[in-house]
Coordinates of all heavy atoms in Angstrom, one line a residue:
M103 N -37.4 -31.8 33.6 CA -36.9 -31.8 32.2 C -36.4 -30.4 31.8 O -37.1 -29.5 32.0 CB -38.0 -32.3 31.3 CG -38.2 -33.8 31.3 SD -37.0 -34.7 30.4 CE -37.7 -34.7 28.7
P104 N -35.1 -30.4 31.3 CA -34.6 -29.0 30.9 C -35.3 -28.6 29.6 O -35.6 -29.4 28.7 CB -33.1 -29.3 30.7 CG -33.0 -30.7 30.5 CD -34.2 -31.4 31.1
V105 N -35.6 -27.3 29.6 CA -36.3 -26.7 28.5 C -35.2 -26.1 27.5 O -34.3 -25.5 28.0 CB -37.2 -25.6 28.9 CG1 -37.9 -24.9 27.7 CG2 -38.3 -26.1 29.9
P106 N -35.3 -26.4 26.2 CA -34.3 -25.9 25.3 C -34.3 -24.3 25.3 O -35.4 -23.7 25.2 CB -34.7 -26.4 23.9 CG -35.7 -27.4 24.1 CD -36.3 -27.2 25.5
V107 N -33.2 -23.7 25.4 CA -33.1 -22.3 25.5 C -32.0 -21.8 24.5 O -30.9 -22.5 24.4 CB -32.7 -21.8 26.9 CG1 -32.2 -20.4 27.0 CG2 -33.9 -22.0 27.9
P108 N -32.2 -20.8 23.7 CA -31.2 -20.4 22.8 C -29.9 -19.9 23.5 O -30.0 -19.2 24.5 CB -31.8 -19.2 22.0 CG -33.0 -18.9 22.7 CD -33.4 -20.0 23.6
K109 N -28.8 -20.3 23.0 CA -27.5 -20.1 23.7 C -27.1 -18.6 23.5 O -26.5 -18.0 24.3 CB -26.4 -21.0 23.1 CG -25.4 -21.5 24.1 CD -24.6 -22.6 23.4 CE -23.9 -23.4 24.5 NZ -23.2 -24.5 24.0
R110 N -27.4 -18.1 22.3 CA -27.0 -16.7 22.0 C -28.2 -15.9 21.5 O -29.1 -16.4 20.9 CB -26.0 -16.7 20.8 CG -24.7 -17.4 21.2 CD -23.5 -16.5 20.8 NE -22.2 -17.2 21.3 CZ -21.7 -16.9 22.5 NH1 -22.3 -16.1 23.4 NH2 -20.6 -17.5 22.9
R111 N -28.1 -14.6 21.8 CA -29.1 -13.7 21.3 C -29.0 -13.6 19.8 O -27.9 -13.6 19.2 CB -28.8 -12.3 21.9 CG -29.8 -11.2 21.5 CD -29.2 -9.9 22.0 NE -29.9 -8.8 21.3 CZ -30.9 -8.1 21.8 NH1 -31.4 -8.4 23.1 NH2 -31.5 -7.2 21.2
T112 N -30.2 -13.6 19.1 CA -30.1 -13.5 17.6 C -29.6 -12.2 17.2 O -30.0 -11.1 17.7 CB -31.6 -13.7 17.0 OG1 -32.2 -14.8 17.6 CG2 -31.5 -13.9 15.5
S113 N -28.6 -12.2 16.3 CA -27.9 -11.0 15.9 C -28.9 -10.2 15.0 O -29.8 -10.7 14.5 CB -26.7 -11.3 15.1 OG -27.0 -11.9 13.9
K114 N -28.6 -8.9 14.9 CA -29.4 -8.0 14.1 C -29.5 -8.5 12.7 O -30.6 -8.5 12.1 CB -28.8 -6.6 14.0 CG -29.0 -5.8 15.3 CD -28.3 -4.4 15.1 CE -27.8 -3.9 16.4 NZ -26.8 -2.8 16.2
S115 N -28.4 -9.0 12.2 CA -28.3 -9.5 10.8 C -29.2 -10.7 10.6 O -30.0 -10.7 9.7 CB -26.8 -9.9 10.5 OG -26.8 -10.6 9.3
K116 N -29.1 -11.7 11.5 CA -29.9 -12.9 11.4 C -31.4 -12.5 11.6 O -32.3 -13.1 10.9 CB -29.5 -13.9 12.5 CG -28.2 -14.7 12.1 CD -28.5 -15.7 11.0 CE -27.2 -16.2 10.4 NZ -27.3 -16.9 9.2
R117 N -31.7 -11.7 12.5 CA -33.1 -11.2 12.8 C -33.7 -10.6 11.5 O -34.8 -10.9 11.1 CB -33.2 -10.3 13.9 CG -34.5 -9.9 14.4 CD -34.7 -8.4 14.3 NE -33.9 -7.6 15.2 CZ -33.3 -6.4 14.9 NH1 -33.4 -5.9 13.7 NH2 -32.6 -5.8 15.8
D118 N -32.9 -9.7 10.9 CA -33.4 -9.0 9.7 C -33.5 -10.0 8.5 O -34.3 -9.8 7.6 CB -32.5 -7.8 9.4 CG -32.6 -6.7 10.5 OD1 -33.6 -6.9 11.3 OD2 -31.8 -5.8 10.5
M119 N -32.6 -11.0 8.5 CA -32.7 -11.9 7.4 C -34.0 -12.7 7.4 O -34.6 -13.0 6.4 CB -31.5 -12.9 7.4 CG -30.3 -12.4 6.8 SD -28.8 -13.2 7.4 CE -28.8 -14.7 6.4
R120 N -34.5 -13.0 8.7 CA -35.7 -13.7 8.8 C -36.9 -12.7 8.4 O -37.8 -13.2 7.8 CB -35.9 -14.1 10.3 CG -37.2 -14.8 10.6 CD -37.2 -15.4 12.0 NE -37.1 -14.4 13.0 CZ -36.1 -14.4 14.0 NH1 -35.2 -15.4 13.9 NH2 -36.0 -13.5 14.9
A121 N -36.8 -11.5 8.8 CA -37.8 -10.5 8.5 C -38.0 -10.3 7.0 O -39.1 -10.0 6.5 CB -37.5 -9.2 9.1
S122 N -37.0 -10.6 6.2 CA -37.1 -10.4 4.8 C -38.0 -11.4 4.1 O -38.5 -11.2 3.0 CB -35.7 -10.6 4.1 OG -35.3 -11.9 4.1
H123 N -38.3 -12.5 4.8 CA -39.3 -13.5 4.3 C -40.7 -13.2 4.7 O -41.6 -13.9 4.3 CB -38.9 -14.9 4.7 CG -37.6 -15.4 4.1 ND1 -37.6 -15.8 2.8 CD2 -36.4 -15.4 4.5 CE1 -36.3 -16.1 2.5 NE2 -35.6 -15.9 3.6
W124 N -40.9 -12.2 5.6 CA -42.2 -11.9 6.2 C -42.8 -10.8 5.4 O -42.6 -9.6 5.6 CB -42.1 -11.6 7.6 CG -43.4 -11.7 8.4 CD1 -43.8 -12.9 9.0 CD2 -44.3 -10.7 8.7 NE1 -45.0 -12.6 9.6 CE2 -45.3 -11.3 9.4 CE3 -44.4 -9.4 8.4 CZ2 -46.4 -10.6 9.9 CZ3 -45.5 -8.6 8.8 CH2 -46.5 -9.3 9.6
K125 N -43.7 -11.1 4.4 CA -44.2 -10.1 3.5 C -45.7 -10.4 3.2 O -46.1 -11.6 3.3 CB -43.4 -9.9 2.3 CG -43.1 -11.2 1.6 CD -42.0 -11.0 0.5 CE -41.6 -12.3 -0.1 NZ -40.3 -12.7 0.3
A126 N -46.4 -9.4 2.7 CA -47.8 -9.6 2.3 C -47.8 -10.4 1.0 O -47.0 -10.2 0.2 CB -48.5 -8.2 2.2
V127 N -48.9 -11.2 0.9 CA -49.1 -11.9 -0.4 C -50.3 -11.4 -1.1 O -51.3 -11.1 -0.4 CB -49.2 -13.4 -0.2 CG1 -47.8 -14.0 0.1 CG2 -50.2 -13.8 0.9
S128 N -50.2 -11.2 -2.4 CA -51.4 -10.7 -3.1 C -52.4 -11.8 -3.3 O -52.0 -13.0 -3.5 CB -51.0 -10.2 -4.5 OG -50.3 -11.2 -5.2
P129 N -53.7 -11.5 -3.2 CA -54.7 -12.6 -3.3 C -54.8 -13.1 -4.8 O -54.6 -12.4 -5.7 CB -56.0 -11.9 -3.0 CG -55.8 -10.4 -3.2 CD -54.3 -10.2 -2.9
T130 N -55.0 -14.4 -4.9 CA -55.1 -15.0 -6.2 C -56.4 -14.7 -6.9 O -57.4 -15.0 -6.4 CB -54.9 -16.6 -6.1 OG1 -55.6 -17.0 -5.0 CG2 -53.5 -17.0 -6.1
L131 N -56.3 -13.9 -7.9 CA -57.5 -13.5 -8.6 C -57.7 -14.3 -9.9 O -56.8 -14.7 -10.6 CB -57.4 -12.0 -9.1 CG -57.7 -11.0 -8.0 CD1 -57.3 -9.6 -8.5 CD2 -59.1 -11.0 -7.5
G132 N -59.0 -14.7 -10.1 CA -59.3 -15.4 -11.3 C -60.6 -14.8 -11.9 O -61.2 -13.9 -11.4
L133 N -60.9 -15.4 -13.1 CA -62.1 -14.9 -13.8 C -63.3 -15.9 -13.5 O -63.1 -17.1 -13.5 CB -61.9 -14.8 -15.3 CG -61.2 -13.5 -15.8 CD1 -61.0 -13.6 -17.3 CD2 -62.0 -12.3 -15.4
C134 N -64.4 -15.3 -13.2 CA -65.6 -16.1 -13.0 C -66.0 -16.8 -14.3 O -66.2 -16.1 -15.3 CB -66.7 -15.3 -12.5 SG -68.3 -16.2 -12.4
P135 N -66.2 -18.1 -14.4 CA -66.6 -18.7 -15.7 C -68.0 -18.4 -16.0 O -68.5 -18.6 -17.2 CB -66.4 -20.2 -15.4 CG -66.4 -20.4 -13.9 CD -65.9 -19.1 -13.3
Q136 N -68.8 -18.0 -15.0 CA -70.2 -17.7 -15.2 C -70.5 -16.3 -15.8 O -71.1 -16.1 -16.8 CB -71.0 -17.8 -13.9 CG -72.5 -18.1 -14.1 CD -72.7 -19.5 -14.6 OE1 -72.0 -20.4 -14.3 NE2 -73.8 -19.6 -15.3
C137 N -69.9 -15.3 -15.2 CA -70.1 -13.9 -15.6 C -68.9 -13.2 -16.1 O -68.9 -12.0 -16.5 CB -70.8 -13.1 -14.5 SG -69.8 -12.9 -13.1
H138 N -67.7 -13.9 -16.1 CA -66.4 -13.4 -16.6 C -66.0 -12.1 -15.9 O -65.4 -11.2 -16.5 CB -66.5 -13.2 -18.1 CG -67.0 -14.4 -18.8 ND1 -66.2 -15.5 -18.9 CD2 -68.2 -14.8 -19.3 CE1 -66.8 -16.5 -19.6 NE2 -68.1 -16.1 -19.8
Q139 N -66.3 -12.0 -14.6 CA -65.8 -10.9 -13.8 C -64.7 -11.4 -13.0 O -64.7 -12.6 -12.6 CB -67.0 -10.4 -12.9 CG -68.1 -9.7 -13.7 CD -67.7 -8.3 -14.1 OE1 -67.2 -7.6 -13.4 NE2 -68.0 -8.1 -15.4
P140 N -63.7 -10.5 -12.7 CA -62.6 -11.0 -11.8 C -63.2 -11.3 -10.4 O -64.0 -10.5 -9.8 CB -61.7 -9.7 -11.7 CG -62.5 -8.6 -12.2 CD -63.5 -9.1 -13.1
K141 N -62.7 -12.4 -9.8 CA -63.1 -12.8 -8.5 C -62.0 -13.5 -7.8 O -61.0 -13.9 -8.4 CB -64.4 -13.7 -8.6 CG -64.1 -15.1 -9.2 CD -65.3 -16.0 -8.9 CE -65.0 -17.4 -9.2 NZ -64.1 -18.0 -8.1
L142 N -62.1 -13.7 -6.5 CA -61.2 -14.5 -5.8 C -61.3 -16.0 -6.1 O -62.4 -16.5 -6.1 CB -61.4 -14.3 -4.3 CG -61.0 -13.0 -3.6 CD1 -61.4 -12.9 -2.2 CD2 -59.5 -12.8 -3.7
S143 N -60.1 -16.6 -6.4 CA -60.1 -18.0 -6.6 C -60.6 -18.8 -5.4 O -60.3 -18.4 -4.3 CB -58.7 -18.5 -7.1 OG -58.4 -17.8 -8.3
Y144 N -61.2 -19.9 -5.6 CA -61.7 -20.8 -4.5 C -62.7 -20.1 -3.6 O -62.9 -20.5 -2.5 CB -60.5 -21.4 -3.7 CG -59.4 -21.9 -4.6 CD1 -58.2 -21.3 -4.8 CD2 -59.6 -23.2 -5.2 CE1 -57.2 -21.8 -5.6 CE2 -58.7 -23.7 -6.0 CZ -57.5 -23.0 -6.2 OH -56.5 -23.5 -7.1
N145 N -63.3 -19.1 -4.2 CA -64.4 -18.4 -3.5 C -65.6 -18.3 -4.4 O -65.4 -18.1 -5.6 CB -64.0 -17.0 -3.0 CG -63.2 -17.1 -1.7 OD1 -62.0 -17.4 -1.8 ND2 -63.7 -16.8 -0.6
A146 N -66.8 -18.2 -3.9 CA -68.0 -18.0 -4.8 C -67.9 -16.6 -5.3 O -67.4 -15.7 -4.7 CB -69.2 -18.2 -4.0
C147 N -68.4 -16.4 -6.6 CA -68.3 -15.1 -7.2 C -69.3 -14.2 -6.6 O -70.5 -14.5 -6.4 CB -68.6 -15.3 -8.7 SG -68.8 -13.8 -9.6
P148 N -68.9 -13.0 -6.1 CA -69.8 -12.1 -5.5 C -70.8 -11.5 -6.5 O -71.9 -11.0 -6.1 CB -68.9 -11.0 -4.9 CG -67.7 -11.1 -5.7 CD -67.5 -12.5 -6.2
K149 N -70.5 -11.5 -7.8 CA -71.4 -10.9 -8.8 C -72.6 -11.8 -9.0 O -73.7 -11.3 -9.0 CB -70.6 -10.6 -10.1 CG -69.7 -9.4 -10.0 CD -70.5 -8.2 -10.5 CE -69.7 -6.9 -10.2 NZ -70.5 -5.7 -10.2
C150 N -72.3 -13.1 -9.3 CA -73.4 -13.9 -9.7 C -73.7 -15.0 -8.7 O -74.7 -15.7 -8.8 CB -73.2 -14.5 -11.1 SG -71.7 -15.6 -11.2
G151 N -72.9 -15.2 -7.7 CA -73.1 -16.2 -6.6 C -72.9 -17.6 -7.0 O -73.4 -18.5 -6.4
Y152 N -72.1 -17.8 -8.1 CA -71.8 -19.2 -8.6 C -70.5 -19.7 -8.1 O -69.5 -18.9 -8.0 CB -71.9 -19.2 -10.1 CG -73.3 -19.5 -10.7 CD1 -74.3 -18.5 -10.6 CD2 -73.6 -20.8 -11.2 CE1 -75.5 -18.8 -11.1 CE2 -74.8 -21.0 -11.7 CZ -75.8 -20.1 -11.6 OH -77.1 -20.3 -12.1
Y153 N -70.4 -20.9 -7.8 CA -69.1 -21.6 -7.5 C -69.2 -23.0 -8.1 O -70.1 -23.7 -7.8 CB -68.9 -21.6 -6.0 CG -67.5 -22.1 -5.7 CD1 -66.3 -21.4 -6.1 CD2 -67.3 -23.4 -5.1 CE1 -65.1 -21.9 -5.8 CE2 -66.1 -23.9 -4.8 CZ -65.0 -23.1 -5.1 OH -63.7 -23.6 -4.9
K154 N -68.2 -23.4 -8.9 CA -68.1 -24.7 -9.5 C -69.4 -25.0 -10.3 O -70.0 -26.1 -10.2 CB -67.8 -25.8 -8.5 CG -66.4 -25.7 -7.9 CD -65.9 -27.1 -7.5 CE -64.4 -27.0 -7.1 NZ -63.9 -28.3 -6.7
G155 N -69.9 -24.0 -11.1 CA -71.0 -24.2 -11.9 C -72.3 -24.4 -11.2 O -73.3 -24.9 -11.7
R156 N -72.3 -24.0 -9.9 CA -73.5 -24.2 -9.1 C -73.8 -22.9 -8.3 O -72.9 -22.3 -7.9 CB -73.3 -25.4 -8.1 CG -74.6 -26.0 -7.5 CD -74.2 -27.3 -6.8 NE -73.3 -27.0 -5.7 CZ -73.8 -26.7 -4.5 NH1 -75.0 -26.7 -4.2 NH2 -72.9 -26.5 -3.5
K157 N -75.1 -22.6 -8.2 CA -75.4 -21.4 -7.4 C -75.3 -21.7 -5.9 O -76.0 -22.6 -5.4 CB -76.8 -20.9 -7.8 CG -77.0 -19.5 -7.3 CD -78.1 -18.8 -8.2 CE -77.9 -17.3 -8.0 NZ -79.0 -16.6 -8.7
V158 N -74.4 -21.0 -5.2 CA -74.2 -21.3 -3.8 C -74.6 -20.1 -2.9 O -74.8 -20.3 -1.7 CB -72.7 -21.6 -3.5 CG1 -72.4 -23.0 -4.1 CG2 -71.8 -20.6 -4.0
M159 N -74.8 -18.9 -3.5 CA -75.3 -17.8 -2.7 C -75.9 -16.8 -3.6 O -75.9 -16.9 -4.8 CB -74.1 -17.2 -1.9 CG -73.0 -16.6 -2.8 SD -71.6 -15.9 -1.8 CE -71.4 -14.4 -2.7
K160 N -76.6 -15.8 -2.9 CA -77.3 -14.8 -3.7 C -76.4 -13.9 -4.5 O -75.3 -13.5 -4.0 CB -78.1 -13.9 -2.7 CG -79.4 -14.6 -2.4 CD -80.2 -13.8 -1.4 CE -81.5 -14.6 -1.0 NZ -81.7 -14.7 0.4
S161 N -76.7 -13.6 -5.7 CA -75.9 -12.7 -6.5 C -76.2 -11.2 -6.1 O -77.1 -10.9 -5.3 CB -76.3 -12.8 -8.0 OG -77.6 -12.4 -8.2
E162 N -75.4 -10.3 -6.6 CA -75.5 -8.9 -6.3 C -76.9 -8.4 -6.6 O -77.5 -7.6 -5.9 CB -74.4 -8.1 -7.0 CG -73.6 -7.2 -6.1 CD -72.4 -6.7 -6.7 OE1 -72.5 -6.2 -7.9 OE2 -71.3 -6.6 -6.1
E163 N -77.4 -8.8 -7.8 CA -78.7 -8.3 -8.3 C -79.8 -8.7 -7.3 O -80.7 -8.0 -7.0 CB -79.0 -8.8 -9.7 CG -78.3 -8.0 -10.7 CD -78.4 -8.6 -12.1 OE1 -79.4 -9.3 -12.4 OE2 -77.5 -8.4 -12.9
E164 N -79.7 -10.0 -6.9 CA -80.8 -10.5 -6.0 C -80.7 -9.8 -4.6 O -81.8 -9.5 -4.0 CB -80.6 -12.0 -5.8 CG -81.2 -12.8 -6.9 CD -80.8 -14.3 -6.8 OE1 -79.7 -14.6 -6.6 OE2 -81.8 -15.1 -7.0
K165 N -79.5 -9.4 -4.2 CA -79.4 -8.7 -3.0 C -80.1 -7.3 -3.1 O -80.7 -6.8 -2.2 CB -77.9 -8.5 -2.6 CG -77.4 -9.7 -1.9 CD -75.9 -9.5 -1.5 CE -75.3 -10.8 -1.1 NZ -73.8 -10.7 -1.0
K166 N -79.9 -6.7 -4.3 CA -80.5 -5.4 -4.5 C -82.0 -5.5 -4.5 O -82.7 -4.6 -3.9 CB -80.0 -4.8 -5.9 CG -78.7 -4.1 -5.8 CD -78.3 -3.6 -7.1 CE -76.8 -3.1 -7.1 NZ -76.3 -2.9 -8.5
K167 N -82.5 -6.5 -5.1 CA -84.0 -6.7 -5.2 C -84.5 -6.8 -3.8 O -85.6 -6.3 -3.4 CB -84.3 -8.0 -5.9 CG -84.4 -7.8 -7.4 CD -84.7 -9.1 -8.1 CE -84.5 -9.0 -9.6 NZ -84.6 -10.3 -10.3
K168 N -83.8 -7.6 -2.9 CA -84.3 -7.8 -1.5 C -84.4 -6.4 -0.8 O -85.3 -6.2 -0.1 CB -83.3 -8.7 -0.8 CG -83.7 -10.1 -0.8 CD -84.1 -10.6 0.6 CE -84.8 -12.0 0.5 NZ -84.8 -12.7 1.8
K169 N -83.4 -5.6 -1.0 CA -83.4 -4.3 -0.4 C -84.6 -3.4 -0.8 O -85.2 -2.8 0.0 CB -82.1 -3.6 -0.7 CG -80.9 -4.0 0.3 CD -79.7 -3.1 0.1 CE -78.6 -3.6 1.0 NZ -77.3 -2.9 0.6
E170 N -84.8 -3.5 -2.1 CA -86.0 -2.8 -2.7 C -87.3 -3.2 -2.1 O -88.2 -2.4 -1.9 CB -85.9 -2.9 -4.2 CG -85.0 -1.9 -4.8 CD -84.7 -2.2 -6.3 OE1 -85.4 -2.9 -6.9 OE2 -83.6 -1.8 -6.8
E171 N -87.4 -4.5 -1.9 CA -88.7 -5.1 -1.4 C -88.9 -4.6 0.0 O -90.1 -4.3 0.4 CB -88.6 -6.6 -1.3 CG -88.9 -7.3 -2.7 CD -88.5 -8.7 -2.7 OE1 -88.4 -9.3 -1.7 OE2 -88.4 -9.3 -3.8
K172 N -87.9 -4.4 0.8 CA -88.0 -3.9 2.2 C -88.6 -2.5 2.2 O -89.3 -2.1 3.1 CB -86.7 -4.0 2.9 CG -86.4 -5.4 3.5 CD -85.1 -5.4 4.2 CE -84.8 -6.8 4.7 NZ -83.4 -6.9 5.2
K173 N -88.2 -1.7 1.2 CA -88.5 -0.3 1.3 C -90.0 0.0 1.0 O -90.7 -0.7 0.6 CB -87.7 0.5 0.2 CG -86.3 0.9 0.8 CD -85.4 1.5 -0.2 CE -84.0 1.6 0.3 NZ -83.1 2.1 -0.7
Ligands
LIG247 ZN1 -69.7 -14.6 -11.5

């Protein structure tokens, strides 16, 4: 079976036109409904550990407490 092969080398112009669409995207930031701190959307809040009105992970304060207990 023949493999499809480009007939012509991509010109500088066409190559650079493609490159113009390749850029960094800024992360979607939102406010936490629990502690009203800016956080990443669709991620648990790192400050209070809440996501969709439910506690899903340890908050920053609880992490600090754990560290103090170890010392
Ligand atoms: Zn929060």
Side-chain angles (χ1 to χ4, degrees):
M103 283 284 271
V105 178
V107 163
K109 216 168 197 174
R110 295 232 174 268
R111 180 190 165 97
T112 311
S113 66
K114 285 179 209 165
S115 166
K116 282 288 167 191
R117 184 240 294 144
D118 292 348
M119 279 160 81
R120 178 171 61 238
S122 75
H123 291 281
W124 200 84
K125 49 190 175 257
V127 284
S128 56
T130 39
L131 281 171
L133 278 177
C134 172
Q136 202 71 31
C137 64
H138 307 287
Q139 290 287 312
K141 70 166 194 71
L142 284 172
S143 296
Y144 310 106
N145 281 77
C147 173
K149 281 271 171 199
C150 63
Y152 269 74
Y153 186 68
K154 290 210 170 177
R156 198 167 65 88
K157 196 153 197 185
V158 291
M159 60 180 225
K160 277 177 185 133
S161 68
E162 232 170 40
E163 279 174 30
E164 279 172 313
K165 276 179 191 169
K166 274 180 194 169
K167 272 182 196 169
K168 266 247 167 160
K169 275 186 185 172
E170 278 165 21
E171 277 168 18
K172 275 182 186 173
K173 273 174 192 172

